[in-house]
Amino acid sequence: MLNTLSIPSDGPAAPLLIVHGLYGSGRNWGVIGKRLSDRGPVAAVDLRNHGDSFWSDSHSYEDMADDLAKVIEAHDAPMDVVGHSMGGKAAMTLAITRPDLVHRLIVADIAPVTYTHSQLQFIEAMRAVDLTRIEKRSDASAQLAAHVEDPTLQAFFTQSLDLRNKRWKLNLDTLAAQMENVLGFPDLSDTFEAPTLFLSGGQSDYVTPDHRPKIRELFPKARFVKIPNAGHWLHAEKPREFEASVRAFLDQAQ
């Protein structure tokens, strides 16, 4: 079972499951999850090979969707599901293969397509950190700066540091070996017929007009919203706007 951060609530809305992206964890979503818990219960998972969840040699979207299905079945199924980037692909796979478990779906800045860019440079940057010299997260950020210019990304990666044991809470070897799977998307023939929101950053190029035919093929009730002045990490760059968009969709979509 995936490690899960659960935020209880007396709110009447359906429970919400939050699924992080590559190199992330459920704790990245703690603030947004807490704010959205006024509606109803919220759960934020650590996907396999991330955070405090188990490590595996496999990192396919079918396997990740199965992991998420077990979480939902252990809670009060079905759930609304929010997934960002890699987590969005896992959530889409879940929604199409197990629509009985997903009430409504929000996909944050990703499309059901194969991408050509690689994320391996970040794995190499993390591997280059001398963990024996790390006493606090800022020590790791200083080393990451030699390979990762963006301070926001430096801080993001260091959230996956286990300072006490001087290790990454990321299975870097499997994630590197499975990068082709991460960049791809399963060949799925079924559809998800419930309301779906594709929420993108206005400055991101992860979801383009060219992707819309494929999105509508798999998600006939897809809606599209962009958050101005936000990039791929839209929930971190514009958390209040992200929260407002999620809240508006869930409060209105039936």
Side-chain angles (χ1 to χ4, degrees):
M1 181 72 73
L2 299 180
N3 181 63
T4 305
L5 169 67
S6 295
I7 306 173
S9 171
D10 294 329
L16 176 67
L17 179 67
I18 300 177
V19 191
H20 66 81
L22 183 63
Y23 309 136
S25 68
R27 71 188 296 263
N28 301 150
W29 291 81
V31 173
I32 288 177
K34 181 66 174 177
R35 290 184 60 84
L36 288 170
S37 69
D38 66 337
R39 302 181 64 261
V42 176
V45 297
D46 293 342
L47 287 169
R48 60 171 58 203
N49 298 312
H50 290 72
D52 293 320
S53 284
F54 63 91
W55 285 17
S56 169
D57 290 338
S58 169
H59 202 74
S60 72
Y61 286 114
E62 293 89 342
D63 285 341
M64 285 186 272
D66 187 58
D67 295 340
L68 295 175
K70 290 182 172 65
V71 171
I72 294 177
E73 287 170 341
H75 284 71
D76 187 15
M79 298 176 78
D80 292 323
V81 180
V82 176
H84 172 247
S85 197
M86 178 189 73
K89 285 187 171 183
M92 286 188 280
T93 304
L94 170 69
I96 291 172
T97 58
R98 291 294 308 274
D100 57 306
L101 298 180
V102 182
H103 187 205
R104 293 164 299 188
L105 177 65
I106 298 174
V107 181
D109 212 63
I110 203 72
V113 300
T114 296
Y115 290 85
T116 57
H117 63 271
S118 177
Q119 302 287 343
L120 286 173
Q121 72 272 23
F122 298 126
I123 290 179
E124 295 309 315
M126 285 182 271
R127 282 173 168 166
V129 174
D130 182 355
L131 295 174
T132 65
R133 296 167 47 211
I134 301 300
E135 298 298 332
K136 51 188 183 300
R137 297 189 194 281
S138 59
D139 296 336
S141 294
Q143 291 190 45
L144 284 170
H147 307 279
V148 180
E149 293 183 4
D150 187 345
T152 301
L153 284 181
Q154 296 166 20
F156 170 67
F157 294 142
T158 60
Q159 289 185 48
S160 289
L161 262 180
D162 179 351
L163 290 172
R164 175 178 298 179
N165 296 301
K166 296 186 182 297
R167 58 182 285 273
W168 291 101
K169 289 186 173 185
L170 298 165
N171 187 349
L172 297 178
D173 290 344
T174 288
L175 294 176
Q178 295 284 306
M179 188 57 66
E180 185 175 348
N181 280 336
V182 173
L183 297 175
F185 190 75
D187 184 13
L188 303 174
S189 57
D190 292 329
T191 60
F192 179 64
E193 300 290 336
T196 305
L197 175 66
F198 282 80
L199 182 58
S200 305
Q203 295 178 340
S204 172
D205 60 0
Y206 274 69
V207 181
T208 70
D210 290 342
H211 295 149
R212 291 199 177 192
K214 182 62 175 179
I215 290 172
R216 292 194 183 280
E217 175 187 330
L218 296 175
F219 303 94
K221 294 185 178 179
R223 307 178 190 179
F224 299 89
V225 171
K226 286 186 178 292
I227 296 179
N229 302 314
H232 182 58
W233 281 272
L234 63 174
H235 62 290
E237 298 169 24
K238 300 287 184 179
R240 290 301 182 96
E241 292 87 344
F242 184 91
E243 176 207 336
S245 297
V246 169
R247 189 182 296 274
F249 173 74
L250 294 178
D251 287 349
Q252 296 171 13
Q254 301 298 327

